């Protein structure tokens, strides 16, 4: 056994797993361990946020943490090494296998396809195939000695995107005037490679016409920040100030400068749940032909039933609210029209009819909108539905919803009424056939038994996939939901 093989077996590397079906990246929210800490098989070492949820990652080795490849707040591709563990710390000093974070990032960004050599076990799904691509050695510039890779190369590569060759420096005469001190650090950094900056910062610099090579970095590891770019704009505008001030125009209005505009803007990277929501909504809106229908209904009897159920001993301690009865009405209506509960299989050109109803509930959380679902909701009693609905909402608010809880939905309810909104035109959750929007319940004049009275009224909106559901079927479904809410005793006669 060679020394390299022994080191590879001793220092085990743990890669970012696919913690949800088909996910390609995750952001490291928090490390629970540091180099030198002892870890055991199954111990959670960090918390990561994917496009679906925040989850903890357990380490599959016993040993001592040797290295953390990425810091908190960094988004890492699936299949990239994030931590290495010394599984035999008592064996004495040994050289860890060389695998810098920059090499990991280069492999992840490579455009060449590699044949899969086996996949790492993951929490959910099959994970990502390891890449066999290697970064080509960077050619040294003439007359410039080769510089060793800095220890922070992994972070630099993550911030910098795909590595670019270092620009050739123009020859400088020995008696040439020295550049201003404020520009020297940036030139030095540029000489070592592409200036370090996140994509939003690069876009800001491009929009403002600023060359990043001239910007003085103040961020960690020489990273250029938004403030650095704004400062560069200020320096660029400073020489022009005296000449402009020399010929003032009386009464001329102040022209707003670029600095003022940028100072009043904020840019936030699109990632995590927000990124997933955006991708899903765009995919749904431009894939499934949406039709939305509306109906206004008197729900006075349903609201009275809600108050009565709150006093029912069988529902003691459970969350009883109008949404519970809307969910039950939706389930009853779907049972009366089972053709609604289907999905479109584009690859096989088939419609998949489902004999189970996984009811999604759109939930607003601090991380953004998520849609966990109640599995086999159509088979549950009202107390069971109330219990699961309460647990679903509580888990979502705590940010602990698992990826499994957000997969496999068939239909969804979104309760826009809690925000005082009458209704909306909801977009389908990808892969689902229908989504029901429940609007605010308000006292309105309503003709009841031949007289105008104040009644509790709401508006329902149903969006459905017109590939699966014709107008007649969608109309019948929505009308049945409204009929149950108008006379909730139909939960018994139709259920």
């Amino acid at each position: 056994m060679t020394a390299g093989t022994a080191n590879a077996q001793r220092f085990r590397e743990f890669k970012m797993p696919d913690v949800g079906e088909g996910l390609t990246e995750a952001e490291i929210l928090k490390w629970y361990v540091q180099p030198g800490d002892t870890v055991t098989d199954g111990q959670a070492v960090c918390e990561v946020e994917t496009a679906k949820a925040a989850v903890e990652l357990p380490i599959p080795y016993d040993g001592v943490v040797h290295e953390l490849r990425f810091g908190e707040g960094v988004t890492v591709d699936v299949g990239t090494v994030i931590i290495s563990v010394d599984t035999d710390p008592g064996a004495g000093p040994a050289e860890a296998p060389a695998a810098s974070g920059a090499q990991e990032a280069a492999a992840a960004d490579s455009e060449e396809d590699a044949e899969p050599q086996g996949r790492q076990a993951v929490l959910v799904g099959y994970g990502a195939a390891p890449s066999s691509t290697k970064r080509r050695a960077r050619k040294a510039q003439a007359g410039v000695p080769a510089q060793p890779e800095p220890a922070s190369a992994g972070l630099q590569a993550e911030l910098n995107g795909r590595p670019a060759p270092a620009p050739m420096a123009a020859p400088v005469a020995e008696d040439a005037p020295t550049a201003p001190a404020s520009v020297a650090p940036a030139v030095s950094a540029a000489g070592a490679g592409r200036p370090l900056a996140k994509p939003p910062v690069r876009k800001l610099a491009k929009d403002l016409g600023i060359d990043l090579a001239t910007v003085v970095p103040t961020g960690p590891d020489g990273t250029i920040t938004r403030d650095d770019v704004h400062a560069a704009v200020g320096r660029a505008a400073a020489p022009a100030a005296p000449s402009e001030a020399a010929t003032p125009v009386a009464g001329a209005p102040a022209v707003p400068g670029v600095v003022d505009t940028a100072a009043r803007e904020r840019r936030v990277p699109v990632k995590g749940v927000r990124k997933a929501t955006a991708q899903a909504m765009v995919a749904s809106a431009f894939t499934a032909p949406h039709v939305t229908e509306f109906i206004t209904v008197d729900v006075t009897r349903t609201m009275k039933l809600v108050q009565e159920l709150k006093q029912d001993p069988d529902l003691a301690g459970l969350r009883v609210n109008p949404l519970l009865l809307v969910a039950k009405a939706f389930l009853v209506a779907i049972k009366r029209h089972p053709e609604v509960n289907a999905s479109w299989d584009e690859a096989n050109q088939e419609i998949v009819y489902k004999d189970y109803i996984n009811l999604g509930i759109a939930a607003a959380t601090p991380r953004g909108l998520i849609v966990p679902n109640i599995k086999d909701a159509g088979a549950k009693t009202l107390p069971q539905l109330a219990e699961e609905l309460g647990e679903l909402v509580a888990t979502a608010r705590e940010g602990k919803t698992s990826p499994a809880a957000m997969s496999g939905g068939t239909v969804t309810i979104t309760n826009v009424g809690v925000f005082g909104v009458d209704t909306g035109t909801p977009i389908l959750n990808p892969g689902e056939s229908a989504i029901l929007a429940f609007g605010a319940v308000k006292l309105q004049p309503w003709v009841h038994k031949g007289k105008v009275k104040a009644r509790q009224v709401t508006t329902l909106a149903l969006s459905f996939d017109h590939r699966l559901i014709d107008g007649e079927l969608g109309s019948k479904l929505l009308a049945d939901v409204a009929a149950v809410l108008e006379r909730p005793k139909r939960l018994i006669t139709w259920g």
Side-chain angles (χ1 to χ4, degrees), residues 357-442:
I357 305 173
N358 291 346
L359 179 62
I361 304 294
T365 73
R367 290 192 173 97
L369 176 69
I370 63 174
V371 188
N373 59 77
I374 300 173
K375 309 299 182 185
D376 209 11
K380 299 187 182 298
T381 64
L382 191 64
Q384 291 172 338
L385 191 63
E387 181 178 6
E388 296 231 9
L389 186 59
E391 291 177 356
L392 178 148
V393 172
T395 303
R397 288 176 176 173
E398 294 172 0
K400 296 181 179 179
T401 303
S402 67
M406 291 184 283
S407 62
T410 61
V411 295
T412 291
I413 294 177
T414 176
N415 185 10
V416 297
V418 296
F419 306 110
V421 175
D422 291 334
T423 189
T425 55
I427 297 178
L428 293 168
N429 209 27
E432 299 183 5
S433 60
I435 178 171
L436 179 70
F438 174 36
V441 178
K442 298 179 179 179

Side-chain angles (χ1 to χ4, degrees), residues 238-322:
S243 59
E244 293 176 0
T247 57
V249 179
V255 179
V258 176
V259 176
D260 292 338
T261 301
R264 297 196 299 269
E265 296 177 348
R266 290 187 306 114
R267 291 178 180 266
V268 179
V270 180
K271 57 185 178 180
V273 175
R274 174 57 56 191
K275 182 177 181 179
T277 301
Q279 292 174 342
M281 293 299 97
V282 170
S284 177
F286 292 98
T287 300
H290 286 56
V291 174
T292 305
E293 295 185 337
F294 308 89
I295 191 169
T296 302
V297 58
D298 177 3
V299 294
T300 304
R301 292 185 179 93
T302 291
M303 299 303 289
K304 290 180 179 178
L305 180 58
V306 169
Q307 297 304 317
E308 293 173 3
L309 290 176
K310 288 182 178 181
Q311 308 302 321
D312 193 317
D314 292 335
L315 293 170
L318 298 178
R319 186 184 182 90
V320 178
N321 54 21

Side-chain angles (χ1 to χ4, degrees), residues 202-226:
R202 292 184 180 281
K203 185 178 186 306
L204 174 64
K206 181 179 179 181
D207 293 342
L208 299 180
I210 296 298
D211 183 359
L212 287 177
T214 65
V215 178
V216 180
T218 62
D221 300 297
T223 304
I224 297 174
T225 66
R226 291 179 56 82

Side-chain angles (χ1 to χ4, degrees), residues 90-350:
E95 182 180 355
S100 69
Q103 291 171 333
E104 294 288 346
D109 287 339
S110 175
E111 297 177 355
E112 299 178 4
D113 293 329
E115 291 295 328
Q117 302 295 325
R119 295 179 179 242
Q120 180 190 15
V122 296
L123 301 183
V124 180
Y126 297 95
S131 172
S132 61
T133 56
K134 302 294 182 182
R135 178 195 284 181
R136 292 181 296 175
R138 181 180 294 168
K139 295 182 180 180
Q141 300 179 14
V144 180
Q147 298 294 329
E149 193 88 359
S152 59
L155 176 59
Q156 293 177 358
E158 178 71 18
L159 294 171
N160 219 14
R162 183 173 290 105
M168 294 295 293
V172 180
E174 293 183 0
D175 56 350
T178 304
S182 61
V183 180
V187 174
S188 176
R194 187 182 182 190
L196 305 181
K198 293 184 178 180
V201 177
R202 292 184 180 281
K203 185 178 186 306
L204 174 64
K206 181 179 179 181
D207 293 342
L208 299 180
I210 296 298
D211 183 359
L212 287 177
T214 65
V215 178
V216 180
T218 62
D221 300 297
T223 304
I224 297 174
T225 66
R226 291 179 56 82
D227 291 339
D228 297 337
V229 175
H230 293 321
V233 173
R235 287 195 299 271
S243 59
E244 293 176 0
T247 57
V249 179
V255 179
V258 176
V259 176
D260 292 338
T261 301
R264 297 196 299 269
E265 296 177 348
R266 290 187 306 114
R267 291 178 180 266
V268 179
V270 180
K271 57 185 178 180
V273 175
R274 174 57 56 191
K275 182 177 181 179
T277 301
Q279 292 174 342
M281 293 299 97
V282 170
S284 177
F286 292 98
T287 300
H290 286 56
V291 174
T292 305
E293 295 185 337
F294 308 89
I295 191 169
T296 302
V297 58
D298 177 3
V299 294
T300 304
R301 292 185 179 93
T302 291
M303 299 303 289
K304 290 180 179 178
L305 180 58
V306 169
Q307 297 304 317
E308 293 173 3
L309 290 176
K310 288 182 178 181
Q311 308 302 321
D312 193 317
D314 292 335
L315 293 170
L318 298 178
R319 186 184 182 90
V320 178
N321 54 21
L323 179 61
L324 173 62
L325 294 188
V326 171
K328 192 63 176 178
F330 196 22
L331 295 171
V332 168
I334 292 174
K335 285 184 179 180
R336 286 170 56 84
H337 306 284
E339 300 87 356
V340 167
N341 196 41
S343 63
W344 185 273
D345 187 342
E346 182 67 27
N348 296 316
Q349 286 296 291
E350 296 175 342

Side-chain angles (χ1 to χ4, degrees), residues 38-49:
T38 300
V39 294
T40 57
D41 186 359
Q43 175 182 341
V45 294
C46 67
E47 182 184 23
V48 301
E49 182 182 40

